[in-house]
């Protein structure tokens, strides 16, 4: 029986309310009530009904979060209330000086301050009209920013309509109001994005903040939607009606409306309590899944804020306490230029080992040749090293006053340091690339990529063995793996008959990997693991993909023009066609589709620590392929905690909540993985 329009409209409204309710439970409250599968089913049903009944599609619909058509450019947005910057302080004594100025201006002996984390992200303003998100804009210069509304809509923690949970909240909502916050990229998402960039030969982002800023500048919201950005709200801008006595009262109100406020914040009575809280919170930084670079201290009372006022650049009632990143001085012993599988030349600083943020650091990033020029880093220099986001070691400065003798200026190689091939810089890229497809370093990188677990999963084909296979000329391309001589392989260092037999068994097994993994394994520029799955769903075989033209590829959901060009160019190359011909002759399956298990459907897993045989990415893929869901935080809704070495606080929390703890072997059994 066909539904009438009134029933369809009612069903759409119920779906919208239900989806936004579950968005809030997952992204704001961190207490999910349904599985990813159930959530996706609700969203797909909504998208279907709206596409069939476009008259009922509205701007506040959760379907708007998946990303619309690419923009031509960002419009400029003028802030009605200027977005000011903050003054910074770096010590408890400087905070006491700030407090002294505040107390003197207010003629009070003790001030209530609101202290919260300073999120290391991108400042954003969200403007709501009649309860609906109308505009989202970057800070820009404080007066004018970019309208990035379509990109911000992809962040599920941002309410498209308030109250976001679709329930009667009983709170008054101003006709026009503006909230301000910080968009950021969580550390797991940053690792994932950088891995994807490396997989397709792009230069990785230096830190999560740069990755977030770069994502918000993308003109295609569909790409932004895949970057897993998140947001914390920490204040207000333009506000019509409804006044609050304090910042802490405003935060409670915004939380009730469905906004994700900074949870690690509190009211402190006087500056000494502020200093204690800041010092106590310092120990928690490493446990967070996002970067902070300090704490923000605000006078809590809005009346007192008004009395204090602002300067031309910053408020007098607020200051940022910056945690100094731990820096250590050491010697730059060497600069090694590595060559990746796509030919990118990457300089790495070889350092005199130094203890930094709890680990021994002997290598650090120098990013590219421009960074070496900027630092004027020379072999033999004393340098300062710190961990970006407390994770990635990098050289931040040269201690030039300690340069006692003339040191040779580092000259970036004009030819590939591995094969001596020509080095070029593509338009719009900082990176230099070796263009010799026969380069041994590139071949080693391509074989390593091809053999990895997420690709063709050739167990036993590690870095040391790949080095020997390429250096001994046993492999001249990927396909040569299937034509190896077992007797020659068993004579290699650390091999022997048994190891060689195991390797050959793994190589033979790789011929039956699903098409999606084969596409990813080939190392097509701009085609990562996810896009490999998208292409495998659209094409029946690798030959079909090889015949595809740009127009057909661009019409596939999630395939953009850059990726389409890369795919077409890749398969045009004579070298590529020769390799694929050899793969087919060797018996590699070009059309096998992946059978997804349902063994973990409805189950939620949290992973902590370092697993022995699986990377974090591989473990998450195993869970998701079997129908399970991965959560970044421990809650009573988690079904299992997967425990690795050196676990964090998640292990203790799981024990308190009596959540079953399993290892990676038990995870594989639950997922039904056959090895």
């Amino acid at each position: 029986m066909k539904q009438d329009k009134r029933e369809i409209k009612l069903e759409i409204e119920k779906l919208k309310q239900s989806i936004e309710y579950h968005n809030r439970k997952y992204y704001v409250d961190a207490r999910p009530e349904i599985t990813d599968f159930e959530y996706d089913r609700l969203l797909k049903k909504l998208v279907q009904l709206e596409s069939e009944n476009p008259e009922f599609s509205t701007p506040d619909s959760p379907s708007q979060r998946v990303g619309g058509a690419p923009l031509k450019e960002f419009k400029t947005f003028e802030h009605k209330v200027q977005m000011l910057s903050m003054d910074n302080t770096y010590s408890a004594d400087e905070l006491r000086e700030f407090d002294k100025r505040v107390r003197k201006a207010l003629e009070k002996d003790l001030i209530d301050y609101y202290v919260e984390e300073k999120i290391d992200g991108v400042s954003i303003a969200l403007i709501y009209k009649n309860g609906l998100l109308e505009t989202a804009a970057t800070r820009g210069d404080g007066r004018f920013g970019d309208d990035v509304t379509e990109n911000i809509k992809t962040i599920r923690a941002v309410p498209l309509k308030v109250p976001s949970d679709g329930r009667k909240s009983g709170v008054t909502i101003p006709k026009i109001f503006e909230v301000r916050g910080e968009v950021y990229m969580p550390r797991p998402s940053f690792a994932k994005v950088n891995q994807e960039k490396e997989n397709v030969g792009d230069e990785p982002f230096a830190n999560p903040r740069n990755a977030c800023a770069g994502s918000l500048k993308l003109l295609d919201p569909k790409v932004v939607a895949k970057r897993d950005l998140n947001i914390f709200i920490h204040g207000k801008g333009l506000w019509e009606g409804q006044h609050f006595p304090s910042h802490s009262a405003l935060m409670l109100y915004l939380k009730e409306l469905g906004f994700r406020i900074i949870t690690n914040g509190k009211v402190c009575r006087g500056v000494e309590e502020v200093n204690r809280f800041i010092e106590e919170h310092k120990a928690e930084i490493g446990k967070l899944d996002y970067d902070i670079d300090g704490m923000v201290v605000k006078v809590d009372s809005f009346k007192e804020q008004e009395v204090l006022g602002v300067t031309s650049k910053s408020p007098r009632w607020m200051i940022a306490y910056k945690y100094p990143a731990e820096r250590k001085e050491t010697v730059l012993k060497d600069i090694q230029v590595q060559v990746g599988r796509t030919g990118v030349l990457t300089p790495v600083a070889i350092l005199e080992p130094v203890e930094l943020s709890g680990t021994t650091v002997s290598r650090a990033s120098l990013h590219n040749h421009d960074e070496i020029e900027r630092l004027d880093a020379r072999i033999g220099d004393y340098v300062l090293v710190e961990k970006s986001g407390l994770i990635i070691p990098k050289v931040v400065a040269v201690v030039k006053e300690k340069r006692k003798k003339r040191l040779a200026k580092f000259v970036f190689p004009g030819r590939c340091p591995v094969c001596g091939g020509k080095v070029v810089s593509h338009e719009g890229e900082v990176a230099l690339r070796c263009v010799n497809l026969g380069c041994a370093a590139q071949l080693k990188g391509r074989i390593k990529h091809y053999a990895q677990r997420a690709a063709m999963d050739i167990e036993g084909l590690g870095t040391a063995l790949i080095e020997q296979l390429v250096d001994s000329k046993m492999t001249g391309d990927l396909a040569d793996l299937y034509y190896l001589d077992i007797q020659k392989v068993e004579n290699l260092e650390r091999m022997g008959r048994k190891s060689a037999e195991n390797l050959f068994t793994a190589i033979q097994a790789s011929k039956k990997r699903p098409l999606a993994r084969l596409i990813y394994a080939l190392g097509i520029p701009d085609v990562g693991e996810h896009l490999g799955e998208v292409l495998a769903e659209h094409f029946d075989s690798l030959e079909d993909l090889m015949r595809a033209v740009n127009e057909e590829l661009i019409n596939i959901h999630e395939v953009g023009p850059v990726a389409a060009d890369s795919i077409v160019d890749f398969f045009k190359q004579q070298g590529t066609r020769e390799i694929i011909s050899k793969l087919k002759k060797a018996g590699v399956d070009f059309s096998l589709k992946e059978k997804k298990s349902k063994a973990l459907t409805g189950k939620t897993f949290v992973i902590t620590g370092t697993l022995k045989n699986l990377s974090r990415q591989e473990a998450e893929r195993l869970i998701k392929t079997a129908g399970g869901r991965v959560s970044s935080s421990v809650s009573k809704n988690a079904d299992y905690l997967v425990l690795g070495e050196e676990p964090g606080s998640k292990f203790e929390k799981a024990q308190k909540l009596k959540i079953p703890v399993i290892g990676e072997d038990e995870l594989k059994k639950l997922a039904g993985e056959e090895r």
Side-chain angles (χ1 to χ4, degrees), residues 75-91:
K75 294 178 182 176
T76 299
F77 178 82
E78 182 178 2
H79 296 289
K80 304 298 182 190
V81 177
Q82 188 175 2
M83 293 183 74
L84 299 170
S85 58
M86 282 185 286
D87 283 337
N88 296 323
T89 182
Y90 295 89
S91 70

mmCIF file of all heavy atoms in Angstrom, residues 75-91:
data_model
loop_
_atom_site.group_PDB
_atom_site.id
_atom_site.type_symbol
_atom_site.label_atom_id
_atom_site.label_comp_id
_atom_site.label_asym_id
_atom_site.label_seq_id
_atom_site.Cartn_x
_atom_site.Cartn_y
_atom_site.Cartn_z
ATOM 1 N N LYS A 75 33.010 31.995 0.035
ATOM 2 C CA LYS A 75 32.552 33.376 0.148
ATOM 3 C C LYS A 75 33.165 34.004 1.399
ATOM 4 O O LYS A 75 33.436 33.320 2.386
ATOM 5 C CB LYS A 75 31.027 33.422 0.246
ATOM 6 C CG LYS A 75 30.312 32.943 -1.012
ATOM 7 C CD LYS A 75 28.803 32.968 -0.805
ATOM 8 C CE LYS A 75 28.068 32.450 -2.038
ATOM 9 N NZ LYS A 75 26.603 32.385 -1.829
ATOM 10 N N THR A 76 33.356 35.304 1.360
ATOM 11 C CA THR A 76 33.872 36.027 2.528
ATOM 12 C C THR A 76 32.726 36.332 3.475
ATOM 13 O O THR A 76 31.636 36.729 3.053
ATOM 14 C CB THR A 76 34.563 37.333 2.097
ATOM 15 O OG1 THR A 76 35.666 37.010 1.245
ATOM 16 C CG2 THR A 76 35.073 38.104 3.306
ATOM 17 N N PHE A 77 32.965 36.138 4.774
ATOM 18 C CA PHE A 77 31.940 36.395 5.790
ATOM 19 C C PHE A 77 32.448 37.472 6.750
ATOM 20 O O PHE A 77 33.572 37.404 7.234
ATOM 21 C CB PHE A 77 31.640 35.117 6.579
ATOM 22 C CG PHE A 77 30.633 35.309 7.685
ATOM 23 C CD1 PHE A 77 29.272 35.290 7.412
ATOM 24 C CD2 PHE A 77 31.061 35.529 8.986
ATOM 25 C CE1 PHE A 77 28.348 35.475 8.430
ATOM 26 C CE2 PHE A 77 30.146 35.714 10.008
ATOM 27 C CZ PHE A 77 28.784 35.687 9.727
ATOM 28 N N GLU A 78 31.596 38.459 7.000
ATOM 29 C CA GLU A 78 31.958 39.529 7.935
ATOM 30 C C GLU A 78 31.401 39.220 9.318
ATOM 31 O O GLU A 78 30.195 39.020 9.491
ATOM 32 C CB GLU A 78 31.406 40.870 7.461
ATOM 33 C CG GLU A 78 31.808 42.028 8.374
ATOM 34 C CD GLU A 78 31.303 43.382 7.892
ATOM 35 O OE1 GLU A 78 30.607 43.427 6.853
ATOM 36 O OE2 GLU A 78 31.617 44.395 8.559
ATOM 37 N N HIS A 79 32.283 39.180 10.310
ATOM 38 C CA HIS A 79 31.854 38.920 11.681
ATOM 39 C C HIS A 79 31.219 40.178 12.284
ATOM 40 O O HIS A 79 31.839 41.243 12.302
ATOM 41 C CB HIS A 79 33.054 38.491 12.537
ATOM 42 C CG HIS A 79 33.666 37.192 12.114
ATOM 43 N ND1 HIS A 79 33.038 35.981 12.293
ATOM 44 C CD2 HIS A 79 34.853 36.914 11.503
ATOM 45 C CE1 HIS A 79 33.810 35.019 11.823
ATOM 46 N NE2 HIS A 79 34.911 35.558 11.334
ATOM 47 N N LYS A 80 29.997 40.032 12.775
ATOM 48 C CA LYS A 80 29.307 41.167 13.410
ATOM 49 C C LYS A 80 29.977 41.537 14.729
ATOM 50 O O LYS A 80 30.022 42.693 15.122
ATOM 51 C CB LYS A 80 27.833 40.826 13.660
ATOM 52 C CG LYS A 80 27.066 40.393 12.420
ATOM 53 C CD LYS A 80 27.008 41.482 11.373
ATOM 54 C CE LYS A 80 26.191 41.035 10.160
ATOM 55 N NZ LYS A 80 26.308 41.955 9.028
ATOM 56 N N VAL A 81 30.442 40.526 15.436
ATOM 57 C CA VAL A 81 31.221 40.737 16.658
ATOM 58 C C VAL A 81 32.617 40.210 16.380
ATOM 59 O O VAL A 81 32.796 39.033 16.059
ATOM 60 C CB VAL A 81 30.608 39.995 17.861
ATOM 61 C CG1 VAL A 81 31.489 40.174 19.093
ATOM 62 C CG2 VAL A 81 29.189 40.483 18.128
ATOM 63 N N GLN A 82 33.615 41.079 16.475
ATOM 64 C CA GLN A 82 34.977 40.707 16.090
ATOM 65 C C GLN A 82 35.483 39.497 16.877
ATOM 66 O O GLN A 82 35.236 39.371 18.079
ATOM 67 C CB GLN A 82 35.927 41.882 16.308
ATOM 68 C CG GLN A 82 37.323 41.651 15.758
ATOM 69 C CD GLN A 82 38.206 42.886 15.878
ATOM 70 O OE1 GLN A 82 37.788 43.912 16.416
ATOM 71 N NE2 GLN A 82 39.432 42.790 15.388
ATOM 72 N N MET A 83 36.171 38.589 16.173
ATOM 73 C CA MET A 83 36.793 37.433 16.824
ATOM 74 C C MET A 83 38.219 37.823 17.203
ATOM 75 O O MET A 83 39.122 37.848 16.356
ATOM 76 C CB MET A 83 36.780 36.209 15.897
ATOM 77 C CG MET A 83 35.393 35.673 15.623
ATOM 78 S SD MET A 83 35.382 34.165 14.603
ATOM 79 C CE MET A 83 35.949 32.931 15.775
ATOM 80 N N LEU A 84 38.410 38.158 18.470
ATOM 81 C CA LEU A 84 39.707 38.628 18.947
ATOM 82 C C LEU A 84 40.643 37.466 19.252
ATOM 83 O O LEU A 84 40.216 36.329 19.439
ATOM 84 C CB LEU A 84 39.522 39.478 20.200
ATOM 85 C CG LEU A 84 38.665 40.750 20.022
ATOM 86 C CD1 LEU A 84 38.354 41.366 21.374
ATOM 87 C CD2 LEU A 84 39.391 41.749 19.129
ATOM 88 N N SER A 85 41.913 37.758 19.316
ATOM 89 C CA SER A 85 42.898 36.752 19.719
ATOM 90 C C SER A 85 43.106 36.860 21.228
ATOM 91 O O SER A 85 42.474 37.685 21.895
ATOM 92 C CB SER A 85 44.211 36.977 18.974
ATOM 93 O OG SER A 85 44.699 38.281 19.221
ATOM 94 N N MET A 86 44.014 36.043 21.781
ATOM 95 C CA MET A 86 44.274 36.047 23.222
ATOM 96 C C MET A 86 45.714 36.392 23.514
ATOM 97 O O MET A 86 46.615 36.048 22.741
ATOM 98 C CB MET A 86 44.001 34.657 23.812
ATOM 99 C CG MET A 86 42.561 34.325 24.034
ATOM 100 S SD MET A 86 42.414 32.708 24.864
ATOM 101 C CE MET A 86 42.807 31.600 23.517
ATOM 102 N N ASP A 87 45.933 37.046 24.642
ATOM 103 C CA ASP A 87 47.292 37.202 25.144
ATOM 104 C C ASP A 87 47.745 35.865 25.728
ATOM 105 O O ASP A 87 46.917 35.066 26.204
ATOM 106 C CB ASP A 87 47.356 38.278 26.232
ATOM 107 C CG ASP A 87 47.313 39.678 25.634
ATOM 108 O OD1 ASP A 87 47.662 39.823 24.454
ATOM 109 O OD2 ASP A 87 46.910 40.615 26.351
ATOM 110 N N ASN A 88 49.048 35.637 25.701
ATOM 111 C CA ASN A 88 49.592 34.377 26.208
ATOM 112 C C ASN A 88 50.460 34.594 27.435
ATOM 113 O O ASN A 88 51.037 35.669 27.630
ATOM 114 C CB ASN A 88 50.454 33.693 25.136
ATOM 115 C CG ASN A 88 49.640 33.292 23.931
ATOM 116 O OD1 ASN A 88 48.499 32.877 24.050
ATOM 117 N ND2 ASN A 88 50.230 33.423 22.751
ATOM 118 N N THR A 89 50.539 33.558 28.250
ATOM 119 C CA THR A 89 51.436 33.570 29.397
ATOM 120 C C THR A 89 52.058 32.188 29.522
ATOM 121 O O THR A 89 51.481 31.201 29.045
ATOM 122 C CB THR A 89 50.688 33.940 30.694
ATOM 123 O OG1 THR A 89 51.606 33.992 31.769
ATOM 124 C CG2 THR A 89 49.603 32.939 31.016
ATOM 125 N N TYR A 90 53.233 32.111 30.138
ATOM 126 C CA TYR A 90 53.955 30.843 30.145
ATOM 127 C C TYR A 90 54.395 30.403 31.544
ATOM 128 O O TYR A 90 55.146 29.446 31.677
ATOM 129 C CB TYR A 90 55.189 30.942 29.240
ATOM 130 C CG TYR A 90 54.830 31.143 27.787
ATOM 131 C CD1 TYR A 90 54.658 32.430 27.271
ATOM 132 C CD2 TYR A 90 54.640 30.060 26.935
ATOM 133 C CE1 TYR A 90 54.312 32.625 25.937
ATOM 134 C CE2 TYR A 90 54.297 30.238 25.605
ATOM 135 C CZ TYR A 90 54.140 31.522 25.107
ATOM 136 O OH TYR A 90 53.785 31.703 23.794
ATOM 137 N N SER A 91 53.932 31.078 32.586
ATOM 138 C CA SER A 91 54.350 30.688 33.933
ATOM 139 C C SER A 91 53.285 31.059 34.952
ATOM 140 O O SER A 91 52.408 31.891 34.697
ATOM 141 C CB SER A 91 55.664 31.392 34.310
ATOM 142 O OG SER A 91 55.437 32.784 34.494
#
